[in-house]
Structure formats: structure tokens, C-alpha cells
């Protein structure tokens, strides 16, 4: 692996703990002005100091994030469909790697939709993105997007995660599920979990803890942070789990204290 690739990976997964807290705020690329992200910089400016990476689209990065912001960027490079369209998650490539380089990204993120009628398009695009990004030493985070028709169980998520890794992803982003260790055990690259829909804070912290305990290297969490009743307190609680081995109870106490 080239020095540039290793360097970028170490900016995403922190060598000090081997873990990562990725803050996902890319939801607008198919959901529009998502609750909590109506004004992106307002939403993230107090969260950035506690996150290891910021995952977002080039439009929000260029227009809303001050260029002097000191945080590694994971750029979403898939899209093309919306929540009101007929083929949600039938995504294609939305950025050249030259543009990703111009934006000085630490990594790019691409969604695959295993099991959907267009799975072939998204998996082949992932393989292409891996080659294109590899030319510049940029790691690829493959997101295992799950259509409504598909279950988020260990059987499906291990299939999708393994397929992502087989096509060259450097990190796989998937969902936490029962028997999550099976998903981790059969995936040869590091796994991070998405948070999914907003949960009560204690439940979201427990999910993050369980994922770390069963082998995830971290979280790529969005709504459970920026839709929290107190996002800065929540991200610090998640950080305690990801980097400081806090239990869900300890992390929840941090949430309560920081909220004051
Ligand atoms: C969806 O595919 C987006 O990439 C989100 O970044 C991802 O779902 C993580 O956000 P959340 O924790 O809100 O699920």
C-alpha cells in the first residue's frame, strides 16, 4: 500500500486507538434539507472539534464549510436518486477523483445496494471508484445501503459487507445487527456502523458500544448525533465509547453532564 493511502487511512482511523468517530452529514444528497441539517455549518461547527472525520457531499463542503476547518473529509461520491423518486439508491458516480483531490479529501464514500435490481451497476461502480481513487492514494469507504425490501440481519449485512470488501473497499460502513460479530469476522477490512434513524440517546450509545465490543472500528453516525436534543453533548458521549472505552452508562452520564 502506498504511503499516501496509508497516511489518509490513518487520518480516518486514528492510530492512537485504532478507532474512528466519523460524523455523517451527507443525508441531503438524497433526502434534501434533512431535519437538523437545514443549515449545515450551524449544525456541525460545534461538533467538528470532537469528530475524527466529516462525511459530506462536495456541494455542502464547498458552500458551507470554511476551508480552514481542520478535519479530514470523507467525500460522498455516489448519488443521483431521491427519496421521492422511483429508484431510491440506484446511485451512480457523482464526482471525479480529480475533484476529490482538489477538495483535499482523506477518503471517498460510495454506496452499493446488494440485492436490488440494479446491484450490478452499483457494485461495478464501486470497483471503478476503487481503481480511480487508488490512482491518487485515496481510500474508499463502501456503504452497504439497504433497500426497504431487504432485512438488516447478519446474513444480509455480512453478504453485502463481504462483497464490498471483495471489490476493493478499504473500510465498510454497514448497520449494527444481532450476531454482528459474524459480519465483522467475515469481512477482511475494518467496519464502521451507521447510526440509522434517531433513537433515544441511551439506546444509540448502547448500539455504538455493542458494535465496538463486537469488532467494529467505530461509527459513521449522523442523525443520532445531529438530531439529538444536545448534539455537542451526544458526540462527546459517543467519542467516550469510541476512543475511551466508556460503557453505555458512563457515556450517558457524560451526555447528561455536557448537556448542562
Ligand atoms: C446514508 O447512506 C448516509 O450515507 C448517512 O451518512 C448514513 O446513513 C449515516 O447516517 P445515520 O447515522 O444518520 O444513519
Amino acid at each position: 500500500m502506498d504511503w499516501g493511502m496509508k497516511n489518509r487511512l490513518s487520518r480516518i482511523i486514528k492510530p492512537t486507538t485504532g478507532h474512528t468517530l466519523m460524523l455523517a452529514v451527507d443525508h441531503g444528497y438524497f433526502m434534501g434539507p434533512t431535519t437538523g441539517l437545514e443549515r449545515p455549518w450551524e449544525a456541525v461547527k460545534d461538533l467538528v472539534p470532537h469528530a475524527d472525520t466529516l462525511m459530506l457531499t462536495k456541494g455542502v463542503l464547498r458552500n458551507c464549510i470554511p476551508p480552514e476547518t481542520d478535519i479530514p473529509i470523507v467525500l460522498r461520491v455516489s448519488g443521483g436518486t431521491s427519496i421521492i423518486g422511483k429508484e431510491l439508491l440506484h446511485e451512480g458516480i457523482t464526482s471525479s477523483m480529480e475533484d476529490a483531490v482538489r477538495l483535499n479529501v482523506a477518503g471517498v464514500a460510495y454506496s452499493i445496494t446488494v440485492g436490488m435490481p440494479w446491484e450490478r451497476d452499483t457494485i461495478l461502480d464501486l470497483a471503478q471508484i476503487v481503481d480511480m481513487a487508488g490512482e491518487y492514494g485515496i481510500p474508499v469507504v463502501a456503504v452497504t445501503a439497504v433497500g426497504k425490501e431487504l432485512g438488516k440481519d447478519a446474513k444480509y449485512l455480512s453478504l453485502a459487507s463481504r462483497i464490498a470488501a471483495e471489490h476493493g473497499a478499504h473500510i465498510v460502513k454497514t448497520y449494527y445487527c444481532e450476531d454482528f460479530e459474524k459480519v465483522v469476522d467475515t469481512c477482511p477490512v475494518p467496519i464502521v456502523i451507521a447510526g440509522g434513524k434517531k433513537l433515544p440517546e441511551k439506546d444509540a450509545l448502547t448500539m455504538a458500544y455493542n458494535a465496538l465490543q463486537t469488532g467494529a472500528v467505530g461509527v459513521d453516525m449522523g442523525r443520532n448525533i445531529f438530531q439529538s436534543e444536545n448534539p455537542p453533548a451526544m458526540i462527546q458521549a459517543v467519542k467516550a465509547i469510541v476512543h475511551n472505552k466508556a460503557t453505555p452508562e458512563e457515556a450517558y452520564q457524560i451526555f447528561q453532564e455536557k448537556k448542562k
Side-chain angles (χ1 to χ4, degrees):
M1 194 185 283
D2 183 63
W3 191 94
M5 175 73 76
K6 284 184 189 163
N7 178 258
R8 287 190 176 91
L9 275 170
S10 76
R11 298 185 69 221
I12 300 174
I13 300 172
K14 295 295 157 188
T16 43
T17 61
H19 292 162
T20 182
L21 196 181
M22 302 171 68
L23 177 62
V25 293
D26 58 329
H27 304 61
Y29 87 95
F30 72 103
M31 290 166 65
T34 310
T35 303
L37 291 182
E38 293 87 348
R39 286 166 298 284
W41 180 239
E42 285 303 305
V44 303
K45 69 179 182 346
D46 295 331
L47 308 180
V48 159
H50 308 290
D52 295 317
T53 76
L54 192 57
M55 177 171 159
L56 75 183
T57 58
K58 59 183 175 183
V60 165
L61 182 59
R62 280 205 165 95
N63 292 298
C64 309
I65 309 297
E68 56 276 14
T69 306
D70 184 16
I71 189 161
I73 298 296
V74 174
L75 185 72
R76 173 164 284 279
V77 296
S78 68
T81 64
S82 80
I83 42 169
I84 60 167
K86 289 199 167 53
E87 291 195 332
L88 176 61
L89 302 174
H90 186 173
E91 298 181 2
I93 298 170
T94 57
S95 185
S96 68
M97 288 309 111
E98 289 73 18
D99 209 27
V101 170
R102 269 191 291 276
L103 290 166
N104 195 28
V105 304
V108 294
Y110 195 89
S111 287
I112 59 169
T113 42
V114 173
M116 299 301 276
W118 50 83
E119 66 173 10
R120 181 172 186 276
D121 296 348
T122 62
I123 295 169
L124 289 178
D125 277 354
L126 170 65
Q128 198 186 331
I129 287 283
V130 168
D131 283 354
M132 289 160 59
E135 290 285 317
Y136 298 96
I138 299 175
V140 177
V141 178
V143 180
T144 65
V146 183
K148 282 191 184 125
E149 303 81 352
L150 303 162
K152 288 181 186 166
D153 59 14
K155 189 174 174 195
Y156 173 76
L157 294 176
S158 54
L159 173 80
S161 298
R162 179 60 176 261
I163 287 172
E166 298 265 358
H167 286 79
H170 301 89
I171 298 172
V172 170
K173 170 179 170 176
T174 191
Y175 290 89
Y176 182 71
C177 62
E178 203 174 317
D179 298 324
F180 190 68
E181 58 277 7
K182 288 185 189 159
V183 182
V184 175
D185 283 349
T186 54
C187 181
V189 300
I191 289 192
V192 294
I193 62 151
K197 284 187 183 155
K198 173 76 176 68
L199 301 168
E201 276 75 5
K202 183 82 182 286
D203 293 353
L205 293 169
T206 302
M207 179 174 67
Y209 175 81
N210 289 339
L212 269 288
Q213 288 295 304
T214 46
V217 300
V219 301
D220 187 7
M221 193 175 264
R223 288 163 288 181
N224 278 290
I225 293 174
F226 64 72
Q227 291 179 350
S228 165
E229 60 174 289
N230 190 318
M234 186 58 178
I235 197 169
Q236 290 177 78
V238 175
K239 185 177 181 178
I241 287 173
V242 170
H243 287 302
N244 298 329
K245 300 186 176 157
T247 63
E249 293 71 28
E250 289 165 342
Y252 190 63
Q253 198 171 340
I254 290 170
F255 171 70
Q256 299 283 21
E257 281 164 14
K258 300 285 178 189
K259 217 170 57 163
K260 291 177 192 161

